[in-house]
Amino acid sequence: MTRHVRCLLLAWMLIASSGIGLTTTAIAQEGEDLRFIVVSHGQASDPFWSVVQRGTDAAATDLGVTVEYQAPTTYNMVEMSQLIDAAVASEPDGLVVSIPDAEALSPAIEGAVAAGIPVVSMNSGSDVAAELGVLVHVGQTEYEAGFGGGERMAEAGVTNAICLIQEAGNAGLEARCAGFTDAMTEAGGTVEQLVIDLNNPTEGQQRIEAAFTASDDVNGIMALGPTGALPALQAIEAAGRTGEVQIATFDLSPEVLTAIQDGTMLFAIDQQQFMQGYLPIVLLKLYVTNANTIANPILMTGPGFVTAENVDQVIELTEEGTR
Amino acid sequence: MTSPRADREIAVAADDDRLLGSSATSRLLIRPEMGAFVGAAAIWLYFAIVAGDSGFLTLGGTASYLEVSAQLGILAVAVALLMIGGEFDLSIGSVIGAAGMILALLTVNYSWNIWPAILIAAIASLAIGFLNGLLVVRTGLPSFIITLATLFIIRGLTIAITRLVTGRTQLGGMRDVAGYELAQTLFASRIQIGGAGFSVSILWWVGLTILATWILLRTPFGNWIFGVGGNEQAARNLGVPVVRVKITLFMLTSLAGCLVAVIQVIGSTGADVLRGQQQEFYAIIAVVIGGTLLTGGYGSAIGAALGALIFGMVRQGIVYAGVDADWFQVFLGGMLLIAVLINRFVRNRAMESRR
């Protein structure tokens, strides 16, 4: 849906809610035939999810279908399952969901499958997608990505690391941390967990600084996303320990890439989330119009690594909002 | 502003000679929930026009927004009583997280039967409410500040203790807990009507709204709530047990948070330390849309229930209208503003026509 239509709709809603009332023509089924709904757990303010949304928008434009994007206002699985219920009741041609908490979301997802709506999962939920009746999962397997990150970090000489969780309760992040911890432990290192609030970077920075001032041994930080990596970078700089404390992160943002370019960050684990937005729409369209399915249960978009070697090229693409 | 007493007697004794000259319309308009009633009708009509053909009007669509409204409504009705009594509770969202985690920890981790676990969660919630109330009446500090502090303390404790005990932040597996079947029927089952499953929490919501309205309008305790919120000193002089009323209201609010936690944990078969975030604000929004004054002494439980209904319709309605989620908070804030303006306008007009 174009920005203009959205703005118009907003105006209509405000007028209607003021009780004046206004006759409107239905705009829901203007133009395209196929209508897909994406329900993710990612807030729009998170740069990561903004790229996913760019992916769904791009797919909608390229394929000539309608895609609507919904997400709860906070990380709240009850609200998310209610959004899925609403999406199902609106009878879309296909549904894309992320599954960060299978237990809480499974009734809603099974409801969608039972209603005959094709469902593709993306980002989180690779381990449960198949048993819920989802066609295919598009994403990165988190444990393996974390393990790969741990190996690289140990290679770089890190022995005592902090695993920085920016969204307490997300099972995908916990799996990354577990993989990272296992790889580090295998290499003879130790890992401590630190939870920060992604909505409050300043407070996060203070907590990270406190964590490695409290213990001189810490010489590495693995952030589980840019919202954790940025305060971590600032904390290292503020404490004057650039170079002593190595840092790497999951997922990209412009600041992360600049840090890799400058050499203040080792690497970023890239799950190429643009494809997690784009590909499910392609797969759903092919399924609905051509009955095509993918044979693998998981279509892996990551892990890829962004290092000093390939960072320049990735930066160009990031500026377009697609990496 | 009407005195609570006069407001009550409008309903009780319409033929009272003090009310001579007031028309039926202005009597209706002066009800605090009138603005919310008009608002709810307008919002419903709006989505019926814009999204009527994409599922909003179907039974499934109705069930979906009523469930959202019901869970918020249970909170809002209790918060309405508290706010009429002149106080705020910002800790209620954290209570939802804490009570849910207590329930899940005791049953999943320590293999308790679900019923004693629900009882412990309820007792813990009541204790939090008691503590909130006690701190407010003993220190004389604004409840806004006291419960802002408990918001963080309770949320932090929930995260810290859960991670200490389990090393995780989510607990699942409620389905296998002893006593789950009956609890599921009571708190989280769906009543099938025409192929759509209506959440049983809707009955809790309606039942609690009726109960709260009865308390407010027909019992001495209800009269005390209006009195304490309207003019605390005057109420005290008249012999109203102010301390007891306020502490009871805080405890009821926490208990409502516990009920929502139980419904959510059993419904989603698991708990999460972050459950209930922002619910304290949504509840206040629903109550204010429902015509309750922030200053206390004036308001209605039915209004709060209608406020929750509006919230649910907007939350789910934008899915049917095909609007991206980015806009939801804009609508929410805009509606709050409009609701408050309408309420003030309606009340002022009604007041003038009474003179």
Side-chain angles (χ1 to χ4, degrees):
Chain A
M1 199 179 291
T2 68
R3 196 159 288 273
H4 282 106
V5 177
R6 279 199 214 137
C7 290
L8 255 155
L9 235 154
L10 173 71
W12 276 335
M13 285 199 77
L14 289 176
I15 290 164
S17 58
S18 71
I20 295 163
L22 196 75
T23 45
T24 62
T25 50
I27 47 101
Q29 72 290 67
E30 160 194 290
E32 294 87 17
D33 294 317
L34 290 176
R35 175 170 156 271
F36 301 125
I37 300 183
V38 181
V39 185
S40 89
H41 68 278
Q43 280 82 66
S45 58
D46 187 332
F48 176 91
W49 287 98
S50 161
V51 174
V52 175
Q53 206 171 344
R54 287 290 278 263
T56 61
D57 288 349
T61 316
D62 292 354
L63 302 174
V65 297
T66 304
V67 176
E68 290 154 14
Y69 190 96
Q70 302 291 340
T73 39
T74 58
Y75 180 78
N76 182 338
M77 288 305 106
V78 174
E79 193 183 343
M80 188 174 164
S81 74
Q82 288 164 345
L83 285 176
I84 296 175
D85 287 341
V88 170
S90 77
E91 296 175 352
D93 296 298
L95 186 64
V96 182
V97 291
S98 62
I99 319 177
D101 181 345
E103 191 115 27
L105 297 179
S106 57
I109 295 171
E110 283 163 349
V113 174
I117 298 167
V119 183
V120 171
S121 64
M122 54 94 164
N123 185 261
S124 333
S126 55
D127 46 340
V128 291
E131 65 191 73
L132 292 178
V134 168
L135 291 178
V136 60
H137 179 83
V138 181
Q140 167 176 266
T141 49
E142 307 294 1
Y143 178 87
E144 283 73 13
F147 198 89
E151 285 178 330
R152 282 203 176 220
M153 208 160 212
E155 263 171 45
V158 173
T159 48
N160 299 298
I162 292 174
C163 181
L164 195 60
I165 302 177
Q166 79 277 16
E167 205 173 62
N170 181 331
L173 295 190
E174 285 176 8
R176 287 176 178 182
C177 216
F180 175 70
T181 308
D182 286 354
M184 284 290 293
T185 315
E186 258 178 44
T190 62
V191 177
E192 260 183 69
Q193 291 190 5
L194 181 67
V195 180
I196 60 164
D197 178 2
L198 71 89
N199 293 314
N200 194 341
T202 317
E203 185 217 343
Q205 182 191 331
Q206 301 302 333
R207 290 187 64 177
I208 298 159
E209 224 178 300
F212 63 65
T213 343
S215 145
D216 281 341
D217 302 340
V218 172
N219 57 3
I221 297 177
M222 174 55 87
L224 299 185
T227 41
L230 300 185
L233 273 170
Q234 285 159 351
I236 292 174
E237 199 184 344
R241 302 202 33 197
T242 311
E244 284 170 52
V245 179
Q246 302 285 3
I247 174 165
T249 184
F250 279 80
D251 306 327
L252 308 181
S253 76
E255 295 87 347
V256 163
L257 293 169
T258 317
I260 294 173
Q261 212 173 21
D262 296 346
T264 50
M265 188 180 275
L266 279 180
F267 60 86
I269 299 168
D270 186 9
Q271 60 172 297
Q272 310 185 85
Q273 74 272 27
F274 185 84
M275 290 200 287
Q276 296 175 5
Y278 195 98
L279 290 179
I281 306 299
V282 176
L283 296 173
L284 282 173
K285 189 184 179 193
L286 286 174
Y287 180 81
V288 173
T289 58
N290 208 32
N292 285 139
T293 52
I294 295 281
N296 311 43
I298 300 172
L299 199 56
M300 290 180 73
T301 63
F305 290 90
V306 178
T307 62
E309 282 150 35
N310 61 355
V311 69
D312 291 334
Q313 192 191 353
V314 175
I315 282 179
E316 280 176 31
L317 295 166
T318 309
E319 276 159 12
E320 288 162 29
T322 58
R323 280 297 287 264
Chain B
M1 196 178 100
T2 48
S3 82
R5 234 159 242 285
D7 191 35
R8 214 180 132 226
E9 280 161 11
I10 291 167
V12 181
D15 55 353
D16 192 308
D17 58 9
R18 281 172 295 176
L19 296 169
L20 281 179
S22 77
S23 70
T25 329
S26 76
R27 260 184 286 143
L28 202 60
L29 279 176
I30 205 164
R31 295 294 317 155
E33 60 269 12
M34 205 49 217
F37 183 78
V38 173
I43 299 277
W44 185 86
L45 202 65
Y46 172 74
F47 282 114
I49 293 166
V50 170
D53 52 359
S54 51
F56 182 76
L57 291 175
T58 62
L59 283 171
T62 308
S64 116
Y65 69 72
L66 283 182
E67 184 181 358
V68 175
S69 302
Q71 293 191 3
L72 181 65
I74 291 168
L75 289 181
V77 166
V79 171
L81 297 195
L82 181 69
M83 283 174 65
I84 294 169
E87 302 293 346
F88 285 98
D89 188 352
L90 298 181
S91 70
I92 190 166
S94 299
V95 170
I96 295 175
M101 233 351 143
I102 291 172
L103 176 57
L105 271 177
L106 290 177
T107 51
V108 176
N109 243 42
Y110 297 106
S111 311
W112 283 36
N113 183 288
I114 202 165
W115 293 102
I118 290 176
L119 188 68
I120 296 291
I123 290 171
S125 305
L126 287 170
I128 294 168
F130 180 80
L131 204 70
N132 276 336
L134 194 69
L135 281 170
V136 168
V137 293
R138 285 283 173 258
T139 61
L141 287 168
S143 51
F144 189 90
I145 299 298
I146 299 283
T147 57
L148 187 62
T150 46
L151 177 158
F152 290 110
I153 295 172
I154 298 162
R155 180 70 68 191
L157 278 175
T158 308
I159 296 175
I161 293 174
T162 308
R163 284 180 59 81
L164 205 65
V165 175
T166 66
R168 294 187 296 163
T169 56
Q170 292 175 320
L171 279 181
M174 290 296 296
R175 224 182 288 260
D176 307 323
V177 164
Y180 177 79
E181 296 290 321
L182 179 60
Q184 200 268 344
T185 311
L186 204 58
F187 293 110
S189 57
R190 285 174 188 277
I191 299 156
Q192 295 295 330
I193 300 172
F198 284 80
S199 166
V200 75
S201 58
I202 298 166
L203 295 181
W204 282 97
W205 172 40
V206 173
L208 287 176
T209 307
I210 293 169
L211 181 68
T213 305
W214 178 77
I215 289 175
L216 275 179
L217 299 181
R218 290 282 183 276
T219 67
F221 186 72
N223 221 4
W224 292 347
I225 296 175
F226 281 114
V228 165
N231 186 334
E232 191 175 326
Q233 197 50 50
R236 190 171 280 127
N237 293 342
L238 285 168
V240 175
V242 172
V243 170
R244 190 147 57 92
V245 170
K246 289 207 165 174
I247 293 180
T248 308
L249 288 174
F250 275 106
M251 290 171 75
L252 287 177
T253 311
S254 276
L255 194 62
C258 179
L259 176 58
V260 171
V262 169
I263 289 171
Q264 291 195 347
V265 167
I266 294 174
S268 69
T269 71
D272 185 312
V273 292
L274 294 186
R275 289 271 166 81
Q277 263 187 326
Q278 290 187 7
Q279 293 301 312
E280 58 277 353
F281 295 116
Y282 294 158
I284 291 174
I285 287 175
V287 169
V288 170
I289 290 176
T292 296
L293 285 184
L294 284 173
T295 47
Y298 181 88
S300 112
I302 294 175
L306 287 168
L309 178 64
I310 291 179
F311 181 93
M313 284 196 288
V314 172
R315 183 72 193 104
Q316 302 301 84
I318 69 168
V319 177
Y320 300 106
V323 184
D324 274 354
D326 301 7
W327 295 97
F328 168 65
Q329 301 196 52
V330 180
F331 292 147
L332 194 63
M335 279 201 344
L336 175 64
L337 200 59
I338 289 165
V340 176
L341 293 176
I342 290 181
N343 279 341
R344 200 182 60 162
F345 175 76
V346 168
R347 201 163 37 240
N348 288 348
R349 285 294 295 271
M351 295 293 197
E352 275 166 24
S353 66
R354 256 161 67 97
R355 278 185 208 120

